[in-house]
Amino acid sequence: MDTTRNAVLEAWMAEHGYSSNSLADAVNGALERLTGRLGGLDGSSVRAWKAGRVMWPKSATRKALEDVSGLPAEREPKNPLDGSERSLP
């Protein structure tokens, strides 16, 4: 499988001082606010997003990531990981 790194997510994390573990914690908290259940993400989940191994997380996770980052998650028809300067996984 051909993967494309998510440079947008990596840059956003660096700009806002998030490690993979701290972003996972923030998204887990947002998932709890959205669903009433704490998320089960960890640093390896975020690293998979950055590496392009997970190109389109579950809908609740995408919404939680949007809530934390303020950026939209978008999916391109031919490329499920939009590597442009405007979106997250």
Side-chain angles (χ1 to χ4, degrees):
M1 178 172 83
D2 187 28
T3 59
T4 302
R5 291 196 66 80
N6 191 330
V8 175
L9 179 60
E10 291 178 318
W12 182 87
M13 288 174 63
E15 180 180 340
H16 295 280
Y18 279 95
S19 67
S20 294
N21 289 330
S22 64
L23 181 58
D25 290 343
V27 173
N28 284 335
L31 278 166
E32 184 173 30
R33 289 187 294 282
L34 287 169
T35 67
R37 298 182 72 184
L38 184 63
L41 302 169
D42 60 17
S44 66
S45 304
V46 175
R47 287 188 293 277
W49 299 341
K50 292 189 316 183
R53 290 187 306 272
V54 173
M55 298 181 289
W56 198 237
K58 293 179 180 179
S59 60
T61 303
R62 288 193 312 271
K63 173 65 173 132
L65 183 56
E66 288 178 334
D67 289 351
V68 170
S69 69
L71 296 173
E74 296 180 0
R75 184 174 184 166
E76 296 292 323
K78 293 183 181 177
N79 181 3
L81 177 63
D82 181 353
S84 73
E85 291 300 319
R86 57 181 162 68
S87 68
L88 295 174

